[in-house]
Amino acid sequence: MVRGSEESSRVSKERAILSATLEELAQTDYGSLTFERVAARAGVNKTTLYRRWETKADLVRAALTSVAEVYRAGPTTGSLRGDLMRIGRATTQFMLSFEGQCILRVRLLERPEPELAAMAKDLQARSLGDISALGRAAVQRGELARESDMMVVSELLGGALYTRLVMKSQPATDAVLSHYVDMLLHGVAKPKKRRAR
Amino acid sequence: MVRGSEESSRVSKERAILSATLEELAQTDYGSLTFERVAARAGVNKTTLYRRWETKADLVRAALTSVAEVYRAGPTTGSLRGDLMRIGRATTQFMLSFEGQCILRVRLLERPEPELAAMAKDLQARSLGDISALGRAAVQRGELARESDMMVVSELLGGALYTRLVMKSQPATDAVLSHYVDMLLHGVAKPKKRRAR
């Protein structure tokens, strides 16, 4: 009982530290981020951070990875439509979450700091790996012609959600997601009437 | 001859002022933007600005409108595919232009200043009007089922280009645009084999 509550307090403290790291990163920049500032923001002692992470890079990587884990695409649901809806929902939750908004504000992929850029690249590669795996599964089921199409579809879907949620502050309900996904699956062009009938 | 060269110098001076306005807006904010700062950045006399625009709002609106005019969708090319390619090319040029990058940095649609938010809304409404007109034309030609589908397609296309060009700094060549547009037109799902054959 006591052991369990100690463990849950450790986990919630770690979560607070990683969240404070992202917030600090979004409000200052990688160069100015220090263990002192993160500790102050999380309301913990600096030594708590040093005990767990050796360098600033370790801390920031842990913060970014923890968020990426929560919102990653995961294994296939068994259908291309199901997978796209799940990607859409996970992307929506990510973009609306506090951590997601910090990461979007950091504009990770545009950063000039080599250490941070390398982390962003790692995370992107992992996410692309997940998407590829879903594409392979869809090809195997005969639902998709090329694995690489999955990448293009997820670019279109992710971009539309970014525009809608972040730039326009409009909601992305399941109905909106369904509309996007159906259009991506079947296209918007009206099928031409058959000539010979 | 002299008249023509005076006219072209007036036009290029106006362009420099409007461009400096956007740059100033991107680097400070609407509240801190002044005629003095814009004039200094454009290398012109402050009175030149006062002669042409009465208020700060007039100046900023002129700057935003001039960019919107350059990159607006325009009348239909005669086919849905042609229109989508043109929207894609205009969006790409906008996002890669100096003025476009200033406007994207301003994050117009997220701004809290009511005066600026109202301008952004006006411009957005005009752009949506253009897109709707293209949608109507496509419906009339029998290429599209619903006018509103055009809005969803342009959200998907614009979002994908933003992700690609701005967030990932990857190029959007005509080949990439074609890939996006064909997927939006015809969908990614592999057509099911006919059952009875």
Side-chain angles (χ1 to χ4, degrees), chain A residues 11-12 16 35 48 86 102 135-136 150-151 158:
Chain A
V11 167
S12 78
F35 275 40
T48 313
R86 192 157 77 182
C102 288
R136 257 192 316 281
M150 193 70 186
M151 221 65 94

Side-chain angles (χ1 to χ4, degrees), chain B residues 2-23:
Chain B
V2 173
R3 177 64 64 90
S5 124
E6 262 172 26
E7 170 65 15
S8 100
S9 140
R10 197 189 61 76
V11 167
S12 78
K13 197 187 272 182
E14 175 162 329
R15 204 172 293 152
I17 294 169
L18 297 181
S19 181
T21 305
L22 293 175
E23 205 178 347

Side-chain angles (χ1 to χ4, degrees), chain B:
Chain B
M1 199 57 180
V2 173
R3 177 64 64 90
S5 124
E6 262 172 26
E7 170 65 15
S8 100
S9 140
R10 197 189 61 76
V11 167
S12 78
K13 197 187 272 182
E14 175 162 329
R15 204 172 293 152
I17 294 169
L18 297 181
S19 181
T21 305
L22 293 175
E23 205 178 347
E24 194 62 31
L25 201 58
Q27 297 203 347
T28 64
D29 58 38
Y30 187 68
S32 327
L33 187 141
T34 60
F35 276 40
E36 284 78 4
R37 296 175 74 139
V38 171
R41 191 182 284 274
V44 300
N45 202 299
K46 209 175 69 177
T47 52
T48 313
L49 269 77
Y50 280 116
R51 219 176 294 139
R52 182 83 182 76
W53 298 280
E54 268 188 39
T55 64
K56 176 161 90 172
D58 290 338
L59 175 63
V60 172
R61 188 179 297 110
L64 294 174
T65 307
S66 74
V67 177
E69 279 302 322
V70 172
Y71 300 102
R72 69 186 294 185
T76 182
T77 60
S79 78
L80 178 55
R81 189 174 199 289
D83 291 350
L84 289 175
M85 284 299 289
R86 194 156 76 183
I87 292 174
R89 288 196 196 103
T91 305
T92 301
Q93 282 160 14
F94 167 75
M95 288 180 178
L96 295 179
S97 71
F98 176 75
E99 287 82 3
Q101 290 184 350
C102 288
I103 291 182
L104 291 172
R105 228 177 307 144
V106 176
R107 299 183 161 224
L108 219 47
L109 295 169
E110 299 167 51
R111 298 309 288 244
E113 302 91 340
E115 216 168 34
L116 197 55
M119 285 180 216
K121 247 185 172 166
D122 279 357
L123 288 171
Q124 196 189 11
R126 203 200 305 186
S127 149
L128 293 180
D130 285 353
I131 303 282
S132 284
L134 295 178
R136 255 190 319 280
V139 170
Q140 275 163 9
R141 282 190 307 262
E143 290 188 280
L144 199 65
R146 280 173 305 273
E147 187 184 315
S148 64
D149 283 349
M150 193 70 184
M151 220 66 95
V152 182
V153 169
S154 72
E155 263 188 14
L156 288 161
L157 183 57
L161 288 172
Y162 182 85
T163 309
R164 190 169 179 97
L165 296 164
V166 181
M167 297 176 83
K168 299 190 185 166
S169 301
Q170 288 173 349
T173 58
D174 257 25
V176 170
L177 276 179
S178 279
H179 199 159
Y180 285 161
V181 167
D182 285 332
M183 194 165 284
L184 291 170
L185 286 173
H186 308 298
V188 74
K190 210 172 158 184
K192 290 206 180 98
K193 283 180 190 130
R194 293 197 194 100
R195 297 204 179 172
R197 234 217 275 206

Side-chain angles (χ1 to χ4, degrees), chain A residues 96-175:
Chain A
L96 295 180
S97 72
F98 176 76
E99 287 82 3
Q101 291 184 349
C102 288
I103 291 181
L104 291 171
R105 228 178 306 144
V106 175
R107 298 181 161 228
L108 218 47
L109 295 169
E110 300 167 52
R111 297 309 288 244
E113 303 92 340
E115 216 168 34
L116 197 55
M119 284 179 219
K121 247 186 172 166
D122 278 357
L123 288 172
Q124 197 189 7
R126 203 201 305 187
S127 149
L128 294 180
D130 285 352
I131 303 283
S132 284
L134 295 178
R136 257 192 316 281
V139 170
Q140 276 165 9
R141 282 190 306 261
E143 290 187 280
L144 198 67
R146 281 173 305 273
E147 187 184 315
S148 64
D149 282 349
M150 193 70 186
M151 221 65 94
V152 182
V153 169
S154 72
E155 264 187 14
L156 288 161
L157 182 58
L161 288 173
Y162 183 84
T163 308
R164 189 167 179 98
L165 295 164
V166 182
M167 298 177 82
K168 299 190 184 166
S169 301
Q170 289 172 349
T173 57
D174 256 26

